[in-house]
Amino acid sequence: MHIENLRFFYEVAKAKSISTVAKSSHISQSALSQQLLKLEDSLNTKLFIRSNKGVTLTTEGEIIYKHCKVILNTYEKMLYEVESSNSQESHINIDGINILTSTLIPYAVSKIKKSFPNHIIKITSSEDNSNNIIHNISDINISYSNYNNINSIVSKEIYSDRIVFVADSTFKRDNLTIKNFMNTPFIMVNDNLKFKDMLESKLENLDYDIQLLNILFTTDSYQSAIIGIKNIQAISAIPYGIYNSVYKDLGYKIIEIEDLEFPLSMYINFEEQLYKREKLFINKLISTIKGFLKS
């Protein structure tokens, strides 16, 4: 089985079209079909159901597709490491949830890049889970999850944070009772922090139903929530570290809400082997992030 055949399979399965992938790959449709048939022959199974509307995966094709991205990423990672060894370059993939990859992480990387001119750094947004590190998709994960219970992954706490409620500076009050909070227009951020679940549990303990909360809309983006509360009498919730370092001086303020507190810790996660190789880079990244959050 050739890696290129597997790559073609992945692209076709994703696009559900042989012609689309052939065009983007600058090869003929018949040549691409031959590559896919070779893959099917090597695996001794049919991977696609072909029709005039395109292609769909067979049950066996679904199994291959499920593992395919991991195999391709591991292969790419291997090539990067070999290339880095020969060229003295170091390729580092950093991922995290959207609120961090759009604020904190690019700031920190820009700050330290001069000290590491041979580092090729890539930043991506992702689900908040350990699979990307385990499957060699990313080298470093910065998130609000501790992966210390997973073999070979090291987690270090960067910042002891909390979720705070925020509003436009024109919001008429600085604090709210639970009853007032339930009636105040609220923009719910339901991202990988699973804040909605935390809020629902807390409200239940206080004998309130989250279904009765006055929700303007739900989003998976903190930026959307922040824009949504601008110049109106509404509130949302974000990590304090991000509020303090990004939004505090942009016309927003914290709203204290009775009996609602949500402690939160930020972690940097990586494999033990990476730390042995990139100790200086990781420690510099940690200290820069801490400085950014505490500034």
Side-chain angles (χ1 to χ4, degrees), residues 227-239:
I227 292 169
I229 63 174
K230 192 66 180 170
N231 297 321
I232 67 169
Q233 295 296 299
I235 60 177
S236 190
I238 64 172

Side-chain angles (χ1 to χ4, degrees), residues 86-207:
N86 293 332
S87 66
Q88 296 186 339
E89 287 182 346
S90 183
H91 292 260
I92 302 288
N93 294 331
I94 304 173
D95 74 12
I97 60 175
N98 181 265
I99 186 66
L100 300 180
T101 57
S102 60
T103 54
L104 167 71
I105 297 174
Y107 167 86
V109 168
S110 297
K111 275 284 194 181
I112 68 174
K113 186 63 174 73
K114 281 186 179 179
S115 301
F116 300 91
N118 292 327
H119 281 58
I120 311 300
I121 302 165
K122 181 181 178 182
I123 300 171
T124 55
S125 297
S126 72
E127 294 289 322
D128 191 359
N129 60 58
S130 60
N131 288 335
N132 285 353
I133 294 178
I134 293 170
H135 294 148
N136 294 305
I137 295 170
S138 64
D139 301 295
I140 295 172
N141 166 271
I142 299 172
S143 66
Y144 295 98
S145 295
N146 182 340
Y147 300 152
N148 261 335
N149 60 334
I150 300 172
N151 288 342
S152 81
I153 296 184
V154 176
S155 288
K156 292 190 174 187
E157 184 177 338
I158 301 176
Y159 188 69
S160 182
D161 207 346
R162 70 186 194 275
I163 295 176
V164 294
F165 294 93
V166 296
D168 185 80
S169 59
T170 61
F171 193 80
K172 294 176 181 178
R173 304 181 67 171
D174 294 328
N175 51 71
L176 296 171
T177 64
I178 288 287
K179 185 176 180 180
N180 287 335
F181 168 65
M182 296 297 294
N183 293 321
T184 300
F186 182 68
I187 298 175
M188 176 72 74
V189 180
N190 192 26
D191 75 338
N192 302 108
L193 281 180
K194 295 181 171 58
F195 173 69
K196 185 177 180 181
D197 295 340
M198 291 190 281
L199 179 60
E200 183 174 13
S201 176
K202 185 76 77 169
L203 290 174
E204 281 180 2
N205 291 337
L206 297 168
D207 295 323

Side-chain angles (χ1 to χ4, degrees), residues 280-295:
L280 287 176
F281 177 83
I282 291 172
N283 287 342
K284 185 71 172 177
L285 183 63
I286 291 172
S287 64
T288 304
I289 290 171
K290 284 182 175 179
F292 176 75
L293 291 170
K294 292 177 180 177
S295 62

Side-chain angles (χ1 to χ4, degrees), residues 58-72:
T58 62
T59 301
E60 294 79 9
E62 292 281 1
I63 294 170
I64 301 298
Y65 185 72
K66 181 175 69 174
H67 296 284
C68 197
K69 188 173 182 181
V70 173
I71 294 169
L72 291 172

Side-chain angles (χ1 to χ4, degrees), residues 194-253:
K194 295 181 171 58
F195 173 69
K196 185 177 180 181
D197 295 340
M198 291 190 281
L199 179 60
E200 183 174 13
S201 176
K202 185 76 77 169
L203 290 174
E204 281 180 2
N205 291 337
L206 297 168
D207 295 323
Y208 284 89
D209 185 351
I210 196 170
Q211 299 299 324
L212 301 178
L213 195 60
N214 184 8
I215 297 177
L216 282 179
F217 62 85
T218 299
T219 176
D220 61 359
S221 165
Y222 286 99
Q223 287 87 345
S224 295
I226 289 295
I227 292 169
I229 63 174
K230 192 66 180 170
N231 297 321
I232 67 169
Q233 295 296 299
I235 60 177
S236 190
I238 64 172
Y240 173 76
I242 300 300
Y243 162 79
N244 186 53
S245 52
V246 179
Y247 295 112
K248 183 175 69 174
D249 298 325
L250 298 179
Y252 298 94
K253 66 179 181 179

